[in-house]
Amino acid sequence: MNSLTRWVRGPWTNPTASGLLIALAAIFSFTEGVNPFSDGHAEGAGALPAALIASDLLMVAAAVVAGTPILIKAVRALMTKMIAIDLLVSVAAIGAVVIGQYWEAAAVTFLFAIGHALEARTMKKTRSALAELVAVAPDVAVVMRDGKQVEIPAAGVEPDETVLVKNGAKVPVDGVVIGGTGALDESSITGESIPVEKGEGDEVFAGTISGGGFLQVRATGTGADTTLARIIHRVEEAQDAKAATQTFMEKFSAWYTPGIIVLALVAGLVTGDAVLALTLLVIGCPGALVVSIPVAIVAGIGRGAKDGILIKGGEYLETSARISAVALDKTGTLTEGKPYLTDVTVLDPALDRSDVLGWAARAEAGSEHPLARPIIDAAEAEGLPVHGLPERTEPVVGMGVIATLDGQRVSVGNLPLLTVEGIADDSGAATEVDRLAGLGRTPMVVTLDSRVIGVVAVADRIRSDAQEMIARLHDAGVQKVVMLTGDTQRVADAVAAQVGLDEVRAQLLPEDKLTMVAQLKADGYTVAMVGDGVNDAPALATADIGVAMGAAGTGVAIETADIALMQDDLLKLPQAVDLARRTVNVMRQNIAIALITVVLLLAGVFAGGVTMAIGMLVHEASVLLVIVNAMRLMRRNEDQHSAGPAPASDARELQTAGAGPLS
């Protein structure tokens, strides 16, 4: 389709043609010295000059050209038992032609057609986020088949095939790097413009663009099963979904439109002034009222999509603007979810640090406990031998592990494990355990042949931007930020002290988190729950808004979360709340603009001085103002991007990853 064909089929064809006819009509009138924008020439006696007849015919033609699509929409709406705004304009324009008000008929339809064109153009522009996502969808892929590079359509890639991604190419599939290195621009998925380095074992997403290097990728998601395809589907659905306010306004318009028709009919019958009745029909059009909500919703959701914030629809956008309490999981949300060794305390003077860490690591080599890995990794990093498995491993549920190494008995666990081992003298372990636990770390006592030799502790770093995120949530109007965790109370309190949480609930099972979210709702809060979507699924479902963070590549999170933050960035959460509040504020401003305009115009008609054409001009100006106001949402709010992550303090790095052996 060429440019001319697109323009002819576009929204500006009718208003442009109508405007040209009005301009020609004006030229003919001016040749006779008559003001074309008044009806004076129609009131004189005798035959009209040919030029004025031509002017009137051109005005009628302009009204027909601009008004025909409006009349068709009105008739279609009536066939579905709906009285639409288009009906008001159609009746007013036909009535104006009947009583000889040709300029008014042309002006009303022309201005209304311009309003429709502006609305269509704006909706297209506000959907630009979706258009950009579609544009980055890859068309072709280079795959290895029978030892050869073959170029095929991206949708034709089979799961587990090897795809080659060269410099400057789009990644055609979701997959895992199995060879090579490179830098990918992932802004289309996460909203983050900084290229991400990729190497063997890293995930890649369809639609991202290689900025250098060469990658071999094993395809895990193809065609409609890619993250990009799911995002496009979600944004498309979200922009079409209606908010509660929009639904209310549509119901309001369904009653308002017949009301204006009755008002115009009564006014015409009482005053005997047909022009007054027709003017009321035109002035009373709630066009700005109807467009005020959807244009704001589409703009807000589009802005969020560009920033890597997927909002499920208008209803959830409105609910997010009312969020007054945020419940956060700890591990993987406030913390990085990657425990590491923080302390090795030697309590046996005959041994040193390497001895204590070495025995602990060798004993943990046979343990399935999640905190075994950081101890083993630390020992290997220090060059200590941690090869092979213990001769015997005995896990003690809730306490730790007991292992036999080279004929010697080694235990790693909490203080109650000493009782199990029959060790009465803790050599000061209890004091050290208490000190480390107070710092928010998970300490484990190490024993060798029934004597305490030391204490090791692991922790998880609090995210560097956690404190700033909570501060920004408070700035955005959130009253309470609560942490819900399965960890111990002392560890949870230590985390809360570091990041500024309002409330902490610790040692919770998944069903306990659901109960806490339900309690917050019962207390009158509008609750957003942020979690990983697995253990926290019940609480996420119970909350008013469920938020999945770091959802890139997680199809379940994208489809089920009310808000999906594509990037693993805590500051996206307050950004999402701020965007929702700004969008709802724009909705309210637009409603106020539309209602005030209609009230003032109706008052002006009854007071005199507001004609049909002037009223329609002011009315369309209000539509334009509403659209421009909504378009402000498409601009990035720099206040939400100016401050970088807060630097991590030493204390902030000493936090626990999860419920360790201490109880």
Side-chain angles (χ1 to χ4, degrees):
M1 186 185 296
N2 58 39
S3 299
L4 179 60
T5 305
R6 281 197 300 269
W7 184 86
V8 169
R9 296 182 181 179
W12 289 100
T13 305
N14 283 345
T16 301
S18 178
L20 290 173
L21 290 171
I22 291 173
L24 284 173
I27 292 172
F28 276 108
S29 292
F30 280 126
T31 60
E32 295 295 329
V34 176
N35 180 3
F37 308 122
S38 70
D39 59 347
H41 63 274
E43 296 175 357
L48 290 173
L52 294 184
I53 294 174
S55 176
D56 289 344
L57 290 174
L58 287 169
M59 286 291 188
V60 172
V64 170
V65 168
T68 299
I70 300 170
L71 180 60
I72 291 173
K73 288 182 180 179
V75 172
R76 286 176 177 170
L78 281 175
M79 291 173 67
T80 59
K81 299 180 180 180
M82 288 181 59
I83 300 178
I85 299 168
D86 304 87
L87 182 63
L88 297 181
V89 176
S90 300
V91 172
I94 292 170
V97 170
V98 170
I99 64 175
Q101 301 284 336
Y102 306 127
W103 152 242
E104 279 76 6
V108 166
T109 53
F110 170 66
L111 290 170
F112 197 73
I114 286 180
H116 269 308
L118 285 171
E119 181 182 345
R121 180 180 180 276
T122 304
M123 294 301 280
K124 181 179 179 181
K125 186 172 183 179
T126 53
R127 290 181 187 272
S128 59
L130 182 59
E132 288 175 10
L133 286 172
V134 173
V136 301
D139 299 319
V140 298
V142 178
V143 299
M144 293 299 296
R145 289 182 177 175
D146 298 325
K148 298 179 181 179
Q149 296 186 24
V150 182
E151 187 174 292
I152 63 173
V157 178
E158 298 291 334
D160 294 325
E161 274 198 298
T162 298
V163 179
L164 305 181
V165 181
K166 302 177 182 180
N167 184 22
K170 293 179 183 177
V171 179
V173 295
D174 284 3
V176 177
V177 177
I178 58 175
T181 59
L184 296 182
D185 177 358
E186 296 187 336
S187 58
S188 59
I189 303 295
T190 65
E192 177 56 57
S193 60
I194 300 174
V196 180
E197 294 292 332
K198 297 290 182 179
E200 191 169 343
D202 290 334
E203 279 190 305
V204 298
F205 308 114
T208 56
I209 302 172
S210 173
F214 179 78
L215 297 173
Q216 299 175 52
V217 176
R218 178 175 60 82
T220 58
T222 62
D225 193 36
T226 64
T227 298
L228 179 64
R230 287 190 289 266
I231 293 173
I232 291 173
H233 177 66
R234 171 58 67 218
V235 175
E236 190 173 31
E237 281 188 337
Q239 291 188 331
D240 289 335
K242 295 178 180 179
T245 303
Q246 182 180 356
T247 304
F248 169 77
M249 294 309 302
E250 288 177 354
K251 291 179 180 178
F252 171 78
S253 296
W255 287 96
Y256 174 85
T257 301
I260 288 295
I261 293 176
V262 172
L263 174 64
L265 183 62
V266 170
L269 291 174
V270 171
T271 63
D273 188 346
V275 175
L276 173 64
L278 295 174
T279 303
L280 285 173
L281 284 176
V282 172
I283 301 300
C285 292
L289 199 59
V290 173
V291 76
S292 61
I293 306 303
V295 72
I297 289 173
V298 171
I301 289 175
R303 177 68 263 170
K306 286 186 175 183
D307 290 337
I309 301 169
L310 292 189
I311 302 173
K312 200 171 187 179
E315 176 186 350
Y316 302 97
L317 191 66
E318 273 196 285
T319 303
S320 298
R322 301 195 306 272
I323 291 173
S324 54
V326 173
L328 300 162
D329 182 34
K330 179 179 71 66
T331 306
T333 302
L334 286 174
T335 65
E336 294 177 356
K338 298 175 182 178
Y340 71 108
L341 183 75
T342 59
D343 297 87
V344 178
T345 303
V346 180
L347 297 177
D348 187 333
L351 303 176
D352 59 18
R353 171 189 167 90
S354 296
D355 295 322
V356 174
L357 179 57
W359 284 116
R362 291 183 64 194
E364 292 284 14
S367 171
E368 76 283 359
H369 197 279
L371 297 185
R373 188 73 253 170
I375 296 174
I376 296 170
D377 288 344
E380 290 178 341
E382 294 185 20
L384 301 177
V386 194
H387 302 299
L389 296 174
E391 295 147 36
R392 182 184 175 191
T393 301
E394 181 186 344
V396 183
V397 179
M399 296 184 188
V401 64
I402 300 171
T404 301
L405 297 164
D406 302 332
Q408 294 179 285
R409 188 178 180 87
V410 180
S411 73
V412 183
N414 55 20
L415 288 172
L417 187 59
L418 297 183
T419 303
V420 173
E421 288 290 87
I423 301 174
D425 182 9
D426 68 3
S427 301
T431 302
E432 181 64 7
V433 164
D434 188 65
R435 183 185 73 83
L436 292 171
L439 294 174
R441 307 168 196 178
T442 299
M444 290 164 276
V445 182
V446 184
T447 71
L448 176 64
D449 288 337
S450 299
R451 74 181 192 278
V452 174
I453 62 172
V455 177
V456 295
V458 298
D460 187 7
R461 291 180 180 86
I462 288 181
R463 292 175 184 261
S464 60
D465 50 3
Q467 188 172 15
E468 183 180 357
M469 179 268 291
I470 293 170
R472 287 194 182 187
L473 283 174
H474 286 141
D475 291 342
V478 175
Q479 300 169 23
K480 181 180 287 190
V481 182
V482 184
M483 182 174 72
L484 307 180
T485 178
D487 215 332
T488 63
Q489 189 67 51
R490 294 189 69 181
V491 168
D493 288 340
V495 174
Q498 291 295 323
V499 300
L501 290 163
D502 300 307
E503 191 175 323
V504 175
R505 298 299 174 92
Q507 295 175 296
L508 301 178
L509 297 173
E511 53 267 30
D512 297 326
K513 293 182 180 181
L514 183 153
T515 302
M516 292 307 307
V517 169
Q519 183 59 54
L520 285 169
K521 292 176 67 176
D523 292 341
Y525 292 100
T526 299
V527 183
M529 174 68 192
V530 186
D532 58 16
V534 182
N535 292 330
D536 302 316
L540 286 166
T542 303
D544 296 292
I545 294 292
V547 182
M549 193 172 70
T554 311
V556 174
I558 294 173
E559 293 298 326
T560 60
D562 301 322
I563 296 178
L565 308 179
M566 304 309 295
Q567 193 178 354
D568 196 14
D569 179 359
L570 284 177
L571 299 184
K572 292 290 184 183
L573 181 59
Q575 186 180 340
V577 174
D578 176 75
L579 175 63
R581 293 183 190 273
R582 287 193 296 125
T583 302
V584 170
N585 285 338
V586 167
M587 288 184 194
R588 292 170 179 163
Q589 293 163 7
N590 284 353
I591 292 172
I593 291 169
L595 290 176
I596 290 172
T597 300
V598 170
V599 169
L600 291 178
L601 285 176
L602 288 175
V605 171
F606 284 110
V610 176
T611 65
M612 188 186 301
I614 292 174
M616 198 63 195
L617 184 61
V618 174
H619 176 269
E620 292 304 327
S622 72
V623 172
L624 182 59
L625 182 59
V626 160
I627 289 172
V628 170
N629 191 41
M631 290 296 289
R632 293 188 300 116
L633 291 168
M634 293 301 294
R635 298 200 309 264
R636 170 173 285 200
N637 184 9
E638 294 302 330
D639 291 342
Q640 290 292 324
H641 298 80
S642 57
S649 65
D650 292 338
R652 192 174 299 160
E653 294 182 348
L654 305 181
Q655 310 302 332
T656 185
L662 275 172
S663 59

